[in-house]
mmCIF file of all heavy atoms in Angstrom:
data_model
loop_
_atom_site.group_PDB
_atom_site.id
_atom_site.type_symbol
_atom_site.label_atom_id
_atom_site.label_comp_id
_atom_site.label_asym_id
_atom_site.label_seq_id
_atom_site.Cartn_x
_atom_site.Cartn_y
_atom_site.Cartn_z
ATOM 1 N N MET A 254 5.793 16.018 7.852
ATOM 2 C CA MET A 254 6.166 16.086 6.442
ATOM 3 C C MET A 254 4.923 16.202 5.595
ATOM 4 O O MET A 254 3.990 15.413 5.720
ATOM 5 C CB MET A 254 6.956 14.825 6.050
ATOM 6 C CG MET A 254 7.484 14.834 4.621
ATOM 7 S SD MET A 254 8.360 13.298 4.224
ATOM 8 C CE MET A 254 9.771 13.430 5.296
ATOM 9 N N SER A 255 4.863 17.151 4.730
ATOM 10 C CA SER A 255 3.678 17.356 3.892
ATOM 11 C C SER A 255 3.844 16.685 2.556
ATOM 12 O O SER A 255 4.952 16.413 2.099
ATOM 13 C CB SER A 255 3.453 18.851 3.665
ATOM 14 O OG SER A 255 4.514 19.393 2.912
ATOM 15 N N ALA A 256 2.715 16.446 1.888
ATOM 16 C CA ALA A 256 2.741 15.749 0.604
ATOM 17 C C ALA A 256 3.490 16.558 -0.428
ATOM 18 O O ALA A 256 4.097 16.005 -1.350
ATOM 19 C CB ALA A 256 1.313 15.472 0.139
ATOM 20 N N THR A 257 3.492 17.880 -0.319
ATOM 21 C CA THR A 257 4.135 18.716 -1.342
ATOM 22 C C THR A 257 5.649 18.669 -1.250
ATOM 23 O O THR A 257 6.344 19.144 -2.148
ATOM 24 C CB THR A 257 3.662 20.153 -1.175
ATOM 25 O OG1 THR A 257 3.964 20.607 0.151
ATOM 26 C CG2 THR A 257 2.159 20.261 -1.424
ATOM 27 N N SER A 258 6.206 18.108 -0.163
ATOM 28 C CA SER A 258 7.663 18.094 -0.006
ATOM 29 C C SER A 258 8.334 16.906 -0.660
ATOM 30 O O SER A 258 9.548 16.807 -0.637
ATOM 31 C CB SER A 258 7.997 18.129 1.493
ATOM 32 O OG SER A 258 7.600 16.927 2.110
ATOM 33 N N TYR A 259 7.547 15.961 -1.211
ATOM 34 C CA TYR A 259 8.130 14.772 -1.785
ATOM 35 C C TYR A 259 8.779 15.085 -3.120
ATOM 36 O O TYR A 259 8.169 15.676 -4.003
ATOM 37 C CB TYR A 259 7.071 13.667 -1.970
ATOM 38 C CG TYR A 259 6.467 13.208 -0.669
ATOM 39 C CD1 TYR A 259 5.086 13.264 -0.472
ATOM 40 C CD2 TYR A 259 7.261 12.735 0.361
ATOM 41 C CE1 TYR A 259 4.521 12.849 0.715
ATOM 42 C CE2 TYR A 259 6.697 12.317 1.551
ATOM 43 C CZ TYR A 259 5.333 12.387 1.723
ATOM 44 O OH TYR A 259 4.782 11.975 2.900
ATOM 45 N N ALA A 260 10.051 14.673 -3.291
ATOM 46 C CA ALA A 260 10.753 14.870 -4.552
ATOM 47 C C ALA A 260 10.621 13.661 -5.471
ATOM 48 O O ALA A 260 11.033 13.701 -6.618
ATOM 49 C CB ALA A 260 12.224 15.152 -4.279
ATOM 50 N N THR A 261 10.055 12.581 -4.972
ATOM 51 C CA THR A 261 9.896 11.355 -5.758
ATOM 52 C C THR A 261 8.459 11.225 -6.231
ATOM 53 O O THR A 261 7.564 11.892 -5.720
ATOM 54 C CB THR A 261 10.247 10.126 -4.894
ATOM 55 O OG1 THR A 261 9.363 10.101 -3.769
ATOM 56 C CG2 THR A 261 11.683 10.201 -4.398
ATOM 57 N N PRO A 262 8.215 10.375 -7.235
ATOM 58 C CA PRO A 262 6.819 10.135 -7.655
ATOM 59 C C PRO A 262 5.991 9.654 -6.475
ATOM 60 O O PRO A 262 6.470 8.928 -5.607
ATOM 61 C CB PRO A 262 6.976 9.026 -8.698
ATOM 62 C CG PRO A 262 8.381 9.145 -9.186
ATOM 63 C CD PRO A 262 9.172 9.624 -8.029
ATOM 64 N N VAL A 263 4.730 10.067 -6.435
ATOM 65 C CA VAL A 263 3.852 9.756 -5.311
ATOM 66 C C VAL A 263 2.682 8.890 -5.768
ATOM 67 O O VAL A 263 2.019 9.213 -6.755
ATOM 68 C CB VAL A 263 3.319 11.041 -4.636
ATOM 69 C CG1 VAL A 263 2.377 10.686 -3.489
ATOM 70 C CG2 VAL A 263 4.468 11.897 -4.121
ATOM 71 N N LEU A 264 2.460 7.800 -5.042
ATOM 72 C CA LEU A 264 1.294 6.958 -5.260
ATOM 73 C C LEU A 264 0.419 7.037 -4.021
ATOM 74 O O LEU A 264 0.928 7.088 -2.892
ATOM 75 C CB LEU A 264 1.716 5.502 -5.505
ATOM 76 C CG LEU A 264 2.556 5.200 -6.746
ATOM 77 C CD1 LEU A 264 2.974 3.731 -6.730
ATOM 78 C CD2 LEU A 264 1.800 5.521 -8.011
ATOM 79 N N ASP A 265 -0.881 7.029 -4.233
ATOM 80 C CA ASP A 265 -1.814 7.045 -3.115
ATOM 81 C C ASP A 265 -2.574 5.735 -3.052
ATOM 82 O O ASP A 265 -2.966 5.170 -4.073
ATOM 83 C CB ASP A 265 -2.807 8.212 -3.269
ATOM 84 C CG ASP A 265 -2.156 9.559 -3.037
ATOM 85 O OD1 ASP A 265 -1.586 9.767 -1.956
ATOM 86 O OD2 ASP A 265 -2.196 10.413 -3.968
ATOM 87 N N CYS A 266 -2.777 5.236 -1.828
ATOM 88 C CA CYS A 266 -3.580 4.043 -1.617
ATOM 89 C C CYS A 266 -4.205 4.121 -0.223
ATOM 90 O O CYS A 266 -3.961 5.073 0.531
ATOM 91 C CB CYS A 266 -2.743 2.769 -1.762
ATOM 92 S SG CYS A 266 -1.475 2.554 -0.490
ATOM 93 N N ASP A 267 -4.980 3.145 0.093
ATOM 94 C CA ASP A 267 -5.561 3.081 1.440
ATOM 95 C C ASP A 267 -4.677 2.282 2.394
ATOM 96 O O ASP A 267 -4.535 2.645 3.566
ATOM 97 C CB ASP A 267 -6.955 2.452 1.376
ATOM 98 C CG ASP A 267 -7.940 3.302 0.610
ATOM 99 O OD1 ASP A 267 -7.951 4.516 0.818
ATOM 100 O OD2 ASP A 267 -8.673 2.739 -0.226
ATOM 101 N N LEU A 268 -4.102 1.175 1.891
ATOM 102 C CA LEU A 268 -3.273 0.324 2.738
ATOM 103 C C LEU A 268 -2.053 -0.116 1.970
ATOM 104 O O LEU A 268 -2.158 -0.619 0.843
ATOM 105 C CB LEU A 268 -4.065 -0.902 3.199
ATOM 106 C CG LEU A 268 -3.379 -1.798 4.236
ATOM 107 C CD1 LEU A 268 -3.229 -1.064 5.577
ATOM 108 C CD2 LEU A 268 -4.154 -3.104 4.460
ATOM 109 N N LEU A 269 -0.888 0.061 2.581
ATOM 110 C CA LEU A 269 0.366 -0.407 2.021
ATOM 111 C C LEU A 269 0.819 -1.627 2.818
ATOM 112 O O LEU A 269 0.955 -1.543 4.039
ATOM 113 C CB LEU A 269 1.436 0.686 2.072
ATOM 114 C CG LEU A 269 2.864 0.263 1.701
ATOM 115 C CD1 LEU A 269 2.942 -0.203 0.252
ATOM 116 C CD2 LEU A 269 3.851 1.417 1.949
ATOM 117 N N VAL A 270 1.046 -2.721 2.128
ATOM 118 C CA VAL A 270 1.547 -3.943 2.755
ATOM 119 C C VAL A 270 2.961 -4.167 2.273
ATOM 120 O O VAL A 270 3.208 -4.230 1.058
ATOM 121 C CB VAL A 270 0.653 -5.148 2.402
ATOM 122 C CG1 VAL A 270 1.216 -6.411 3.016
ATOM 123 C CG2 VAL A 270 -0.775 -4.916 2.861
ATOM 124 N N ILE A 271 3.882 -4.302 3.206
ATOM 125 C CA ILE A 271 5.294 -4.509 2.842
ATOM 126 C C ILE A 271 5.634 -5.960 3.097
ATOM 127 O O ILE A 271 5.766 -6.400 4.246
ATOM 128 C CB ILE A 271 6.199 -3.559 3.637
ATOM 129 C CG1 ILE A 271 5.799 -2.096 3.384
ATOM 130 C CG2 ILE A 271 7.656 -3.758 3.243
ATOM 131 C CD1 ILE A 271 6.573 -1.087 4.215
ATOM 132 N N GLY A 272 5.749 -6.746 2.031
ATOM 133 C CA GLY A 272 5.994 -8.172 2.112
ATOM 134 C C GLY A 272 4.859 -8.959 1.495
ATOM 135 O O GLY A 272 3.680 -8.558 1.597
ATOM 136 N N SER A 273 5.181 -10.084 0.849
ATOM 137 C CA SER A 273 4.164 -10.806 0.078
ATOM 138 C C SER A 273 4.058 -12.279 0.447
ATOM 139 O O SER A 273 3.706 -13.113 -0.391
ATOM 140 C CB SER A 273 4.454 -10.668 -1.425
ATOM 141 O OG SER A 273 5.698 -11.286 -1.760
ATOM 142 N N GLY A 274 4.345 -12.609 1.705
ATOM 143 C CA GLY A 274 4.069 -13.949 2.188
ATOM 144 C C GLY A 274 2.609 -14.056 2.620
ATOM 145 O O GLY A 274 1.783 -13.183 2.334
ATOM 146 N N ALA A 275 2.291 -15.121 3.345
ATOM 147 C CA ALA A 275 0.902 -15.361 3.736
ATOM 148 C C ALA A 275 0.343 -14.233 4.578
ATOM 149 O O ALA A 275 -0.795 -13.798 4.383
ATOM 150 C CB ALA A 275 0.801 -16.676 4.479
ATOM 151 N N GLY A 276 1.119 -13.732 5.557
ATOM 152 C CA GLY A 276 0.631 -12.673 6.424
ATOM 153 C C GLY A 276 0.292 -11.413 5.657
ATOM 154 O O GLY A 276 -0.759 -10.804 5.852
ATOM 155 N N GLY A 277 1.197 -11.003 4.770
ATOM 156 C CA GLY A 277 0.970 -9.792 3.992
ATOM 157 C C GLY A 277 -0.175 -9.941 3.012
ATOM 158 O O GLY A 277 -1.036 -9.054 2.889
ATOM 159 N N LEU A 278 -0.209 -11.055 2.288
ATOM 160 C CA LEU A 278 -1.254 -11.251 1.289
ATOM 161 C C LEU A 278 -2.618 -11.466 1.924
ATOM 162 O O LEU A 278 -3.644 -11.085 1.351
ATOM 163 C CB LEU A 278 -0.893 -12.412 0.368
ATOM 164 C CG LEU A 278 0.286 -12.160 -0.579
ATOM 165 C CD1 LEU A 278 0.549 -13.378 -1.439
ATOM 166 C CD2 LEU A 278 0.044 -10.930 -1.467
ATOM 167 N N SER A 279 -2.675 -12.089 3.096
ATOM 168 C CA SER A 279 -3.950 -12.212 3.795
ATOM 169 C C SER A 279 -4.517 -10.838 4.097
ATOM 170 O O SER A 279 -5.712 -10.569 3.875
ATOM 171 C CB SER A 279 -3.764 -13.005 5.097
ATOM 172 O OG SER A 279 -4.941 -13.000 5.887
ATOM 173 N N ALA A 280 -3.673 -9.955 4.611
ATOM 174 C CA ALA A 280 -4.120 -8.578 4.904
ATOM 175 C C ALA A 280 -4.534 -7.866 3.631
ATOM 176 O O ALA A 280 -5.554 -7.173 3.588
ATOM 177 C CB ALA A 280 -3.017 -7.815 5.606
ATOM 178 N N ALA A 281 -3.745 -8.028 2.562
ATOM 179 C CA ALA A 281 -4.023 -7.333 1.315
ATOM 180 C C ALA A 281 -5.338 -7.766 0.700
ATOM 181 O O ALA A 281 -6.157 -6.932 0.280
ATOM 182 C CB ALA A 281 -2.869 -7.560 0.338
ATOM 183 N N VAL A 282 -5.577 -9.071 0.629
ATOM 184 C CA VAL A 282 -6.801 -9.581 0.009
ATOM 185 C C VAL A 282 -8.016 -9.199 0.847
ATOM 186 O O VAL A 282 -9.055 -8.770 0.322
ATOM 187 C CB VAL A 282 -6.722 -11.110 -0.176
ATOM 188 C CG1 VAL A 282 -8.050 -11.673 -0.659
ATOM 189 C CG2 VAL A 282 -5.607 -11.464 -1.154
ATOM 190 N N THR A 283 -7.905 -9.341 2.167
ATOM 191 C CA THR A 283 -9.017 -8.976 3.027
ATOM 192 C C THR A 283 -9.346 -7.494 2.880
ATOM 193 O O THR A 283 -10.522 -7.114 2.745
ATOM 194 C CB THR A 283 -8.694 -9.299 4.510
ATOM 195 O OG1 THR A 283 -8.335 -10.676 4.631
ATOM 196 C CG2 THR A 283 -9.881 -8.996 5.392
ATOM 197 N N ALA A 284 -8.337 -6.636 2.913
ATOM 198 C CA ALA A 284 -8.559 -5.201 2.803
ATOM 199 C C ALA A 284 -9.202 -4.845 1.465
ATOM 200 O O ALA A 284 -10.098 -3.992 1.419
ATOM 201 C CB ALA A 284 -7.234 -4.454 2.966
ATOM 202 N N ALA A 285 -8.761 -5.486 0.397
ATOM 203 C CA ALA A 285 -9.350 -5.213 -0.923
ATOM 204 C C ALA A 285 -10.827 -5.582 -0.944
ATOM 205 O O ALA A 285 -11.648 -4.869 -1.534
ATOM 206 C CB ALA A 285 -8.578 -5.968 -1.989
ATOM 207 N N HIS A 286 -11.175 -6.682 -0.306
ATOM 208 C CA HIS A 286 -12.589 -7.088 -0.243
ATOM 209 C C HIS A 286 -13.392 -6.142 0.636
ATOM 210 O O HIS A 286 -14.630 -6.064 0.490
ATOM 211 C CB HIS A 286 -12.703 -8.521 0.252
ATOM 212 C CG HIS A 286 -12.567 -9.533 -0.830
ATOM 213 N ND1 HIS A 286 -13.627 -10.013 -1.557
ATOM 214 C CD2 HIS A 286 -11.455 -10.122 -1.342
ATOM 215 C CE1 HIS A 286 -13.197 -10.881 -2.465
ATOM 216 N NE2 HIS A 286 -11.887 -10.968 -2.356
ATOM 217 N N LEU A 287 -12.728 -5.436 1.547
ATOM 218 C CA LEU A 287 -13.425 -4.461 2.385
ATOM 219 C C LEU A 287 -13.486 -3.082 1.726
ATOM 220 O O LEU A 287 -13.914 -2.123 2.343
ATOM 221 C CB LEU A 287 -12.719 -4.357 3.744
ATOM 222 C CG LEU A 287 -12.797 -5.619 4.622
ATOM 223 C CD1 LEU A 287 -11.930 -5.455 5.859
ATOM 224 C CD2 LEU A 287 -14.240 -5.918 5.025
ATOM 225 N N GLY A 288 -13.036 -3.022 0.478
ATOM 226 C CA GLY A 288 -13.164 -1.799 -0.293
ATOM 227 C C GLY A 288 -11.948 -0.908 -0.297
ATOM 228 O O GLY A 288 -12.009 0.221 -0.834
ATOM 229 N N LEU A 289 -10.822 -1.357 0.253
ATOM 230 C CA LEU A 289 -9.619 -0.514 0.288
ATOM 231 C C LEU A 289 -8.783 -0.707 -0.981
ATOM 232 O O LEU A 289 -8.720 -1.799 -1.563
ATOM 233 C CB LEU A 289 -8.765 -0.853 1.508
ATOM 234 C CG LEU A 289 -9.418 -0.710 2.890
ATOM 235 C CD1 LEU A 289 -8.344 -0.834 3.974
ATOM 236 C CD2 LEU A 289 -10.172 0.598 3.016
ATOM 237 N N LYS A 290 -8.126 0.375 -1.385
ATOM 238 C CA LYS A 290 -7.137 0.309 -2.454
ATOM 239 C C LYS A 290 -5.809 -0.094 -1.825
ATOM 240 O O LYS A 290 -5.313 0.576 -0.913
ATOM 241 C CB LYS A 290 -7.007 1.662 -3.130
ATOM 242 C CG LYS A 290 -6.000 1.678 -4.283
ATOM 243 C CD LYS A 290 -5.880 3.072 -4.896
ATOM 244 C CE LYS A 290 -4.839 3.099 -6.021
ATOM 245 N NZ LYS A 290 -4.706 4.470 -6.577
ATOM 246 N N VAL A 291 -5.221 -1.200 -2.328
ATOM 247 C CA VAL A 291 -4.076 -1.807 -1.656
ATOM 248 C C VAL A 291 -2.867 -1.896 -2.592
ATOM 249 O O VAL A 291 -3.011 -2.272 -3.761
ATOM 250 C CB VAL A 291 -4.421 -3.210 -1.145
ATOM 251 C CG1 VAL A 291 -3.238 -3.838 -0.390
ATOM 252 C CG2 VAL A 291 -5.655 -3.181 -0.251
ATOM 253 N N ILE A 292 -1.707 -1.577 -2.048
ATOM 254 C CA ILE A 292 -0.430 -1.804 -2.729
ATOM 255 C C ILE A 292 0.391 -2.751 -1.867
ATOM 256 O O ILE A 292 0.475 -2.597 -0.652
ATOM 257 C CB ILE A 292 0.346 -0.484 -2.942
ATOM 258 C CG1 ILE A 292 -0.388 0.410 -3.951
ATOM 259 C CG2 ILE A 292 1.768 -0.775 -3.445
ATOM 260 C CD1 ILE A 292 0.259 1.775 -4.137
ATOM 261 N N VAL A 293 0.961 -3.770 -2.500
ATOM 262 C CA VAL A 293 1.890 -4.696 -1.835
ATOM 263 C C VAL A 293 3.277 -4.456 -2.399
ATOM 264 O O VAL A 293 3.469 -4.511 -3.615
ATOM 265 C CB VAL A 293 1.480 -6.159 -2.048
ATOM 266 C CG1 VAL A 293 2.531 -7.111 -1.449
ATOM 267 C CG2 VAL A 293 0.115 -6.437 -1.434
ATOM 268 N N ALA A 294 4.236 -4.189 -1.517
ATOM 269 C CA ALA A 294 5.632 -3.945 -1.931
ATOM 270 C C ALA A 294 6.474 -5.136 -1.511
ATOM 271 O O ALA A 294 6.571 -5.449 -0.318
ATOM 272 C CB ALA A 294 6.154 -2.674 -1.292
ATOM 273 N N GLU A 295 7.067 -5.811 -2.493
ATOM 274 C CA GLU A 295 7.907 -6.971 -2.235
ATOM 275 C C GLU A 295 9.359 -6.643 -2.601
ATOM 276 O O GLU A 295 9.653 -6.186 -3.695
ATOM 277 C CB GLU A 295 7.410 -8.174 -3.038
ATOM 278 C CG GLU A 295 8.359 -9.367 -3.062
ATOM 279 C CD GLU A 295 8.744 -9.870 -1.675
ATOM 280 O OE1 GLU A 295 7.825 -10.054 -0.837
ATOM 281 O OE2 GLU A 295 9.958 -10.059 -1.430
ATOM 282 N N LYS A 296 10.243 -6.926 -1.678
ATOM 283 C CA LYS A 296 11.670 -6.648 -1.872
ATOM 284 C C LYS A 296 12.296 -7.490 -2.990
ATOM 285 O O LYS A 296 13.082 -6.991 -3.791
ATOM 286 C CB LYS A 296 12.391 -6.910 -0.546
ATOM 287 C CG LYS A 296 13.891 -6.899 -0.566
ATOM 288 C CD LYS A 296 14.381 -7.288 0.835
ATOM 289 C CE LYS A 296 15.899 -7.302 0.912
ATOM 290 N NZ LYS A 296 16.341 -7.677 2.289
#
């Protein structure tokens, strides 16, 4: 699937974390400190 085929708005990041408990936020904070752009998606 190519990026041009998306019919919905597109966001770009380095790491997507799905869930915002300790496991997800630990990964998110660590990745951000390592220079990654991070999005956390919470249901």
Side-chain angles (χ1 to χ4, degrees):
M254 183 181 294
S255 66
T257 57
S258 67
Y259 297 124
T261 60
V263 178
L264 297 175
D265 289 302
C266 67
D267 294 316
L268 187 68
L269 172 63
V270 178
I271 303 175
S273 64
L278 291 180
S279 173
V282 173
T283 304
H286 275 270
L287 294 173
L289 302 190
K290 180 182 178 182
V291 182
I292 293 176
V293 175
E295 169 56 48
K296 170 184 180 179

